[in-house]
Amino acid sequence: MKDVESNLVIIGGDLYTPQGIIRNGCLTVKDRYIQSISKKKRRFSRISRVIEAQDKIIIPGFIDIHLHGSKGFDIINGKYLLSNGNWQTDLNTLREGIKEIVKFHAWHGTTGVVLALTGSTDRKLCNSLRIIGEYIKNKSLDGARVWGSYLEGTFLKSKEYAGAQSPRYFRFPSIQFFKKLENYSKHTI
């Protein structure tokens, strides 16, 4: 029996894999990455946490590649205030918002997200990208992992492609403007 070092061990559940279902399986995780999946029980040299999963289903987390927000938070607009129908968009609200968004989505089985920014003012784009970049660089583990962001409506060329985007925020692409945004995002766009 091989000795394994792991931060997390999930044992006893039905593991759903691309190759099929492993009944009464054993899944080991180290530094947030799956290290092994097996039917055999293993010996562990170090374990920080064990989850007993008898009669449970164990599936991979979902990845959401187009996420604007949740729980009253929007990654570009901030927090929607029901009391007056306005958005609160200061940096602290955006910091609070990204934490709430990723916690909410993790609770529902999403383990990774890419945040989508609708077309907006330069200030809002820069502030949102700054907060997303800080969050990614700090490697926060409290919720779904933020893989990056993208500009959904900023560089659309005409109203016929607008969809839900406001054409007033469309702009012609330029390397200079993109580099500005990339710097605010700490290179996470």
Side-chain angles (χ1 to χ4, degrees), residues 2-186:
K2 186 178 176 186
D3 219 19
V4 177
E5 182 179 321
S6 181
N7 301 105
L8 171 67
V9 178
I10 304 173
I11 55 174
D14 293 339
L15 294 164
Y16 282 65
T17 74
Q19 292 75 33
I21 300 170
I22 300 172
R23 306 273 180 213
N24 198 27
C26 179
L27 181 138
T28 62
V29 178
K30 182 176 181 189
D31 299 325
R32 296 188 67 182
Y33 291 94
I34 295 173
Q35 295 299 302
S36 67
I37 297 173
S38 67
K39 186 163 180 76
K40 299 176 183 175
K41 293 191 176 187
R42 311 185 100 173
R43 284 193 327 238
F44 300 98
S45 57
R46 276 198 327 231
I47 305 173
S48 57
R49 185 171 175 210
V50 175
I51 297 175
E52 297 281 347
Q54 271 69 27
D55 301 319
K56 303 280 192 267
I57 294 173
I58 304 163
I59 60 173
F62 299 104
I63 307 294
D64 189 335
I65 61 168
H66 184 105
L67 178 64
H68 293 282
S70 60
K71 294 193 71 179
F73 288 98
D74 176 271
I75 199 60
I76 195 79
N77 291 309
K79 182 177 184 176
Y80 185 72
L81 304 173
L82 288 172
S83 60
N84 61 15
N86 292 320
W87 291 92
Q88 186 175 343
T89 59
D90 61 276
L91 292 177
N92 287 332
T93 299
L94 290 172
R95 283 186 187 98
E96 175 191 346
I98 195 169
K99 290 176 187 174
E100 290 298 318
I101 290 166
V102 297
K103 282 182 193 175
F104 176 82
H105 284 276
W107 178 254
H108 294 282
T110 303
T111 57
V113 299
V114 179
L115 298 168
L117 282 71
T118 56
S120 192
T121 64
D122 288 7
R123 182 184 63 80
K124 281 186 175 182
L125 287 171
C126 291
N127 284 345
S128 294
L129 290 168
R130 176 179 167 190
I131 297 307
I132 293 166
E134 287 173 6
Y135 191 85
I136 293 170
K137 295 298 181 183
N138 289 335
K139 298 183 179 178
S140 177
L141 303 178
D142 196 17
R145 183 173 183 179
V146 178
W147 291 99
S149 62
Y150 67 93
L151 307 170
E152 181 181 4
T154 304
F155 300 118
L156 291 176
K157 68 178 188 172
S158 76
K159 292 179 183 180
E160 69 183 281
Y161 301 111
Q165 305 295 322
S166 175
R168 74 178 174 194
Y169 298 121
F170 292 179
R171 61 185 310 143
F172 190 78
S174 77
I175 296 296
Q176 181 182 357
F177 182 64
F178 183 78
K179 284 184 177 183
K180 174 184 174 179
L181 296 177
E182 186 179 35
N183 286 333
Y184 269 95
S185 78
K186 298 182 179 10

